[in-house]
Amino acid sequence: MKIDFANLQLQYQAYKKEIDNNIHNVLNKSNYILGEEVQILEQELQKFTGAKHAITCSSGTDALLLALMAIDIQPGDEVITTPFTWISTGEMIALLKATPVFVDIEPDTFNIDANLIENAITKKTKAIMPVSLYGQPSDMDAIQIIADKYNLQVIIDGAQSFGSTFNGITDSNLGDISTTSFFPSKPLGCFGDGGAVFTNNEEYANKIKLLRVHGQNKRYYHKFIGIGGRLDTLQAAILLAKLINFKKELKNRQKVADQYTDKLSNIFQTPVIKKNRTSVWAQYTLRVNDRDNFQLKLKEEGIPTSVFYPIPLHRQECFNYLNYKQDNFPVSNEASKEVLSIPINPFLTHEEIDYIILKVQEICNN
Ligand SMILES: Cc1ncc(COP(=O)(O)O)c(C=O)c1O
């Protein structure tokens, strides 16, 4: 058997009619930049998340940049975040010449450990940026209490978690600003790059709308230094077709996750989803001791796997100037050696799920 990690081709075939229709509508109108599909998508995203404002943009990375610019992060400001994440999280803080301050993660959820945040706060701290890794929100109650106590802003990097919930509220409707990515392999993905910023704060929303078009408030009048950060109308049209099916897809992802956990939790540390949260299962991640060997054997059986992430941010060359030591953040370091994500997507068949479980068990028992 040959398993596909993301099954994007099957997904396209399943919604081909709606997607092709939506694309052709855009082609027929040639409204490629901020066309009406972008506005319709933003309204649909607002409805879906409950957030007052949804502002689409060019990527999950640019969504983070826009969020940080909206809260006016300045050179020398400090933003507390996790080192166990994709580079964009720390990179966008550093791009604004602010300082990413890393705080270690919880060993079970892989998200920032809220108990360690207070120790990292200084006079320069402006914001906390938790990442909802693999699709599950961080401990937003604990984080919000700290943010309120020290008057800090909270920006959620929800690139992997669009549709997840904390105490029944979507991840996009928490914190001061929340972001997501529509990268093709994300739970809700487009056919290229895309992202969105969510907020209930009118002032931030208005600023982000300007920032994504070079700070322009009237043609050729630029109120702020901004970026060219719009979502293409074509991508919005594709997302509109996919959004209709998204809830159903999330249910399917959950079913796959349940089967994996049921059959694999006696041999591995399987993902821990806290009681007050839901995950959208961007990844299903096991902790494996002999990871390289395990990964190779699964590959030989036609099962692709991925490692998110093999090198935490404090050990990345680009962050040498922060002067962290290799052995700082032991929980992140340990996780980076052990995590292995196995295929999870809404289009896996029963036979494929059974096959993956069987092979994982066999390799583990040999
Ligand atoms: C945690 C996290 N933050 C930010 C991003 C950036 O999103 P994009 O690839 O859309 O720029 C990603 C994408 O992989 C991510 O996983």
Side-chain angles (χ1 to χ4, degrees):
M1 219 182 255
K2 186 136 183 44
I3 310 286
D4 193 311
F5 199 76
N7 269 334
L8 294 183
Q9 187 50 235
L10 277 185
Q11 190 198 43
Y12 171 54
Q13 294 306 329
Y15 315 141
K16 187 173 179 351
K17 212 169 129 216
E18 298 100 309
I19 291 174
D20 288 2
N21 263 343
N22 284 9
I23 289 177
H24 279 107
N25 274 336
V26 176
L27 297 181
N28 286 329
K29 291 186 280 188
S30 303
N31 59 345
Y32 300 119
I33 303 293
L34 293 183
E36 64 178 324
E37 284 77 1
V38 174
Q39 276 103 64
I40 298 169
L41 175 66
E42 289 178 345
Q43 285 160 11
E44 292 302 318
L45 293 174
Q46 280 158 217
K47 271 191 233 157
F48 190 93
T49 59
K52 257 201 204 147
H53 306 277
I55 304 130
T56 55
C57 64
S58 38
S59 68
T61 304
D62 286 340
L64 291 171
L65 184 60
L66 289 166
L68 290 162
M69 289 168 86
I71 64 165
D72 203 27
I73 290 296
Q74 292 291 321
D77 288 346
E78 293 178 358
V79 179
I80 293 174
T81 191
T82 156
F84 196 60
T85 178
W86 169 240
I87 186 73
S88 305
T89 317
E91 185 185 32
M92 291 305 103
I93 299 167
L95 198 67
L96 292 174
K97 305 259 178 281
T99 307
V101 174
F102 299 126
V103 162
D104 213 352
I105 56 169
E106 300 170 335
D108 53 355
T109 66
F110 303 103
N111 283 334
I112 193 165
D113 187 341
N115 293 316
L116 305 176
I117 291 177
E118 250 180 308
N119 257 346
I121 293 174
T122 71
K123 286 207 175 85
K124 293 182 185 166
T125 310
K126 288 284 154 56
I128 308 172
M129 199 148 98
V131 177
S132 311
L133 206 75
Y134 304 148
Q136 171 178 214
S138 306
D139 187 349
M140 294 312 301
D141 276 345
I143 291 170
Q144 197 58 57
I145 287 170
I146 299 167
D148 291 343
K149 182 169 165 193
Y150 293 91
N151 198 19
L152 305 174
Q153 301 285 291
V154 176
I155 296 176
I156 299 173
D157 180 348
Q160 303 185 7
S161 61
F162 180 77
S164 67
T165 60
F166 182 93
N167 289 341
I169 299 168
T170 67
D171 193 52
S172 310
N173 195 8
L174 292 164
D176 293 282
I177 304 181
S178 187
T179 66
T180 201
S181 163
F182 299 131
F183 188 80
S185 57
K186 292 287 188 274
L188 181 64
C190 57
F191 289 175
D193 280 307
V197 188
F198 304 91
T199 183
N200 290 317
N201 181 313
E202 185 109 20
E203 191 190 325
Y204 291 160
N206 290 335
K207 192 168 173 190
I208 292 162
K209 279 181 207 157
L210 298 190
L211 288 171
R212 83 171 163 182
V213 289
H214 307 282
Q216 179 176 258
N217 52 2
K218 202 168 105 185
R219 197 150 194 213
Y220 302 126
Y221 289 80
H222 301 269
K223 188 177 166 70
F224 304 113
I225 301 288
I227 62 170
R230 298 163 302 227
L231 179 75
D232 297 339
T233 311
L234 274 171
Q235 300 299 350
I238 291 158
L239 285 164
L240 277 169
K242 287 211 198 176
L243 190 58
I244 300 168
N245 300 288
F246 188 59
K247 279 202 172 144
K248 188 179 68 193
E249 288 201 354
L250 288 186
K251 278 195 188 138
N252 284 348
R253 282 180 183 272
Q254 184 63 50
K255 275 189 205 157
V256 181
D258 288 343
Q259 287 174 74
Y260 283 161
T261 302
D262 184 39
K263 296 280 164 38
L264 300 178
S265 60
N266 57 340
I267 31 179
F268 290 106
Q269 183 185 318
T270 46
V272 174
I273 306 301
K274 298 282 172 156
K275 275 215 173 68
N276 60 346
R277 305 175 214 178
T278 60
S279 174
V280 290
W281 299 105
Q283 303 300 339
Y284 189 94
T285 305
L286 303 168
R287 289 188 85 128
V288 184
N289 288 329
D290 187 12
R291 185 177 64 197
D292 290 353
N293 182 34
F294 196 77
Q295 190 171 29
L296 192 70
K297 287 194 171 143
L298 282 174
K299 191 175 170 201
E300 283 165 9
E301 300 290 353
I303 301 171
T305 54
S306 267
V307 175
F308 305 106
Y309 295 93
I311 308 169
L313 300 197
H314 70 285
R315 291 183 4 227
Q316 294 291 346
E317 192 178 343
C318 64
F319 287 130
N320 279 353
Y321 71 96
L322 294 173
N323 292 322
Y324 285 112
K325 297 200 180 78
Q326 296 277 318
D327 61 359
N328 284 154
F329 316 115
V331 186
S332 298
N333 281 338
E334 201 57 28
S336 70
K337 280 189 244 155
E338 293 180 1
V339 290
L340 187 70
S341 301
I342 59 175
I344 186 160
N345 67 71
F347 292 90
L348 285 172
T349 62
H350 291 301
E351 291 74 31
E352 287 175 324
I353 297 165
D354 289 344
Y355 176 78
I356 293 168
I357 290 169
L358 181 74
K359 291 297 159 191
V360 167
Q361 288 169 331
E362 271 179 17
I363 294 169
C364 187
N365 291 330
N366 280 332

